[in-house]
Amino acid sequence: MNGPSASANVATRILGIDPGLRSTGFGLIDTLGNQLSYVASGCIKTGEGSLPERLKIILDGIREVIATYKPDQAAVEIIFVNVNPQSTLLLGQARGAAICGAVSCDLPVAEYTALQVKQAVVGHGKAAKEQVSHMVQRLLALEGAPSSDAADALACAICHAHGSRGLAAMAGIGTRKRGSRLTD
């Protein structure tokens, strides 16, 4: 696998995805050894329309991002169950469309909880969104703060870059390898 720890001389491009039905954030970083470099970020906006139409926009948008920036790996935030079950179901479908976009382009996909992402980026799992955004801006030396969804996606990519060099890589935690079947 061409992970960040595979070689100190080869950059790995990671696509972070923050799924949402109205706005799916994406962020791309390159890792070379311990260095993180910003590549691009933005949002896939679905607008109004039927659920299937909006899911197709997410799927196609992720595929377009992958075709444009050619990442080596993807990292997606795991959704949490919130108070409104209907919202959770809709968000889960948006997440599924984003994951399908990545795996249909043969990208290995890692999944991280919001707690793991915040821990990796800020240093504690209870960080506020503003703290995450600020640390993303500092870690990637950005001149300005990215949008909230893009910042969350970049944070997910940073989490993967950090985690794939640590215990998660050794244990195979949080990753899906090409051609493998996962069972619980």
Side-chain angles (χ1 to χ4, degrees), residues 17 58-59 62-63 66 76 93-106 109 176:
I17 302 171
I58 295 168
L59 177 78
I62 293 295
R63 286 180 175 164
I66 291 168
V76 181
Q93 291 179 58
R95 183 174 177 278
I99 291 172
C100 286
V103 298
S104 71
C105 294
D106 294 325
V109 176
R176 290 186 181 179

Side-chain angles (χ1 to χ4, degrees), residues 7 10 16 26 32 52 60-61 63 83 85-86 93 95 99 103-104 109 117 127 140 142 146 151 154 163 170:
S7 169
V10 178
F26 67 88
L32 183 59
D60 291 344
R63 286 180 175 164
V83 178
Q86 182 64 24
Q93 291 179 58
R95 183 174 177 278
I99 291 172
V103 298
S104 71
V109 176
V117 172
L140 298 177
L142 302 176
L154 287 165
M170 291 188 292

Side-chain angles (χ1 to χ4, degrees), residues 79-92:
I79 62 166
F80 62 92
V81 178
N82 61 34
V83 178
N84 184 338
Q86 182 64 24
S87 295
T88 302
L89 288 171
L90 291 172
L91 183 56

